[in-house]
Amino acid sequence: MKTQVGIIGAGPAGLLVARILQLNGIEAVVLERRTRQYVLDRVRAGVLESGTVETLRTYGMGARLDREGIPMRSMQLCWDRQKADVSLDDGTGRHLTTYGQQKIVEDLITQRERDGLPIIFEAAVDRLEDIEGETPRIHYTHEGEQKVIECQFIAGCDGYHGVSRRHIPGSDEHVFLTEYPFAWLGILAQAAPLAARRGFAHSTRGLAVASARSATVGRLYLQVEPDADPNAMSDQEIWDELDLRLDDGTDARLNRGPIIERSVARLRGYVCEKMRHGRLAIAGDAAHIVPPSGGKGLNLAVGDARIMAEAIRRLLKSNDTGLLDTYSEMCLRRIWPTVHWACSMCEAFHIFPGQTSFDTRMQYQMLNHWGNTEIGQQRLRKAQLGLPYEI
Ligand code: FAD
């Protein structure tokens, strides 16, 4: 098979690159190793920066988002049985929006299918060939057969465990990694989220987070051991633990309901600074992982996808490699400050093995700074609303 751009991965990064290319008259094939249903059901991120929302609107993906997205205009921090509700209003009208990642993925997939454009599910990419030439090839397995796509550019949007990154020569020498000694148990529950019980909580029992996916569905997290079994706690134990950790000294308690999804994700910070070689570039989780404490992974993936699609457009339409040559540097100008913020949140809210009461007091100081001082609130607001795009 031949196409202009071979895109590996039907996550938000790959699907958005495909959409932007389509609107610029560039052909692409998306290869995804999972089934269609698996991709549609995968529950992950849910907090969108206004830049992400604007990007999705610009490329015709805003209709359901505008109907169902829930504006989030403040952020609650809770620690030591007290709470700060920090306004996210920076005078520009920007705010965050709650809209599940799987809805974005569904919107992009159904639009692509409606437009009659190819996404090949259950197509696992094994290796890439000739990325330094003008017609790189993608080798993949589909329906038990080995197949090849010949293209003019490869977009590696295949997440942290994908194959693209390792095809960038010497990429290991450009990797920066930190592994945190804990994980998040994430649950999706049919329980109306409570305005008085949301946001991030520091507790000596470990972090807890309460957020909304809709008016009737809550997304909540507990800090757990890195290798925790997601099914180890009963529903009641999870709700009891959440209420204990989210205690802000008031009588408010979470609304409880059936837990419909659970997963455990390890926390790490990871950046591969070499994001392009020849006619291969990587975007999103293929290039970087941020701890979910900042709500930034999806937003960063969208930022990379915008730059990647424009760089490919300039290459294929005008034979201009200028943006491609600076692709890594431009992406990294948004990636590193965002990773820094997500890691700062991570370090302020979690209990670390061997943590002393002194360490906990230091965390309280940080949280008091973000929650109760003008300069700290400005920092939090700016970081949560997200960095501007250069392109
Ligand atoms: P992905 O969404 O990972 O998509 C990559 C795709 O490539 C996948 O569909 C995968 O199946 C496919 N693929 C991989 N290898 C191959 C191959 N060899 N061949 C073909 N296809 C392949 N971020 C937040 O901002 N807030 C959150 O609350 C949050 N929660 C999260 C919870 C969990 C459990 C996880 C895992 C992540 C979470 N994230 C969160 C991060 C966020 O979901 C990611 O940053 C986002 O999905 C990145 O999008 P992506 O398109 O780069 O990668």
Side-chain angles (χ1 to χ4, degrees), residues 9 12-13 32-33 42 44-45 101 125 157-158 221 284-285 295-297:
E32 167 56 51
R33 76 178 159 148
R42 193 165 42 192
R44 283 183 165 181
Q101 174 171 326
V125 173
C157 305
D158 47 355
Y221 300 94
D285 280 15
K296 295 296 180 189

Side-chain angles (χ1 to χ4, degrees), residues 7-15 31-34 38-39 42-47 101 105 120 123-126 140 157-164 184 213 219 221 263-265 283-302:
I7 300 176
I8 312 173
L15 291 165
L31 297 168
E32 167 56 51
R33 76 178 159 148
R34 300 287 192 175
Y38 182 95
V39 172
R42 193 165 42 192
V43 178
R44 283 183 165 181
V47 177
Q101 174 171 326
V105 165
I120 308 178
V125 173
D126 316 308
Y140 65 102
C157 305
D158 47 355
Y160 183 65
H161 300 288
V163 297
S164 303
W184 278 18
R213 276 294 186 274
R219 177 80 166 144
Y221 300 94
S263 62
V264 168
D285 280 15
H288 42 76
I289 297 281
V290 282
S293 37
K296 295 296 180 189
L298 166 64
N299 293 294
L300 275 182
V302 167

Side-chain angles (χ1 to χ4, degrees), residues 261-381:
E261 203 267 350
R262 307 165 170 227
S263 62
V264 168
R266 290 200 63 150
L267 269 66
R268 55 170 71 89
Y270 176 95
V271 178
C272 171
E273 288 194 338
K274 191 171 176 190
M275 295 173 64
R276 178 246 166 170
H277 182 79
R279 292 208 172 209
L280 165 68
I282 56 175
D285 280 15
H288 42 76
I289 297 281
V290 282
S293 37
K296 295 296 180 189
L298 166 64
N299 293 294
L300 275 182
V302 167
D304 292 351
R306 287 170 59 110
I307 304 171
M308 180 191 271
E310 177 59 15
I312 296 173
R313 189 190 71 76
R314 292 186 194 179
L315 173 75
L316 299 189
K317 293 276 183 190
S318 322
N319 204 22
D320 170 3
T321 62
L323 185 54
L324 208 51
D325 292 340
T326 55
Y327 172 71
S328 300
E329 289 78 0
M330 191 179 278
C331 291
L332 288 166
R333 283 199 284 275
R334 298 187 86 249
I335 293 166
W336 272 121
T338 308
V339 172
H340 179 250
W341 172 250
C343 290
S344 305
M345 286 280 286
C346 185
E347 283 152 26
F349 277 99
H350 290 87
I351 301 299
F352 286 70
Q355 179 162 326
T356 64
S357 52
F358 183 90
D359 299 329
T360 304
R361 284 291 183 279
M362 292 297 100
Q363 291 177 321
Y364 289 169
Q365 284 307 304
M366 195 71 247
L367 295 171
N368 185 57
H369 177 67
W370 289 334
N372 291 326
T373 71
E374 201 177 319
I375 191 164
Q377 290 178 350
Q378 270 172 19
R379 167 78 181 113
L380 179 134
R381 192 176 296 130

Side-chain angles (χ1 to χ4, degrees), residues 147-161:
K147 299 189 176 168
V148 183
I149 288 188
E150 185 180 294
C151 51
Q152 295 164 36
F153 199 88
I154 300 174
C157 305
D158 47 355
Y160 183 65
H161 300 288

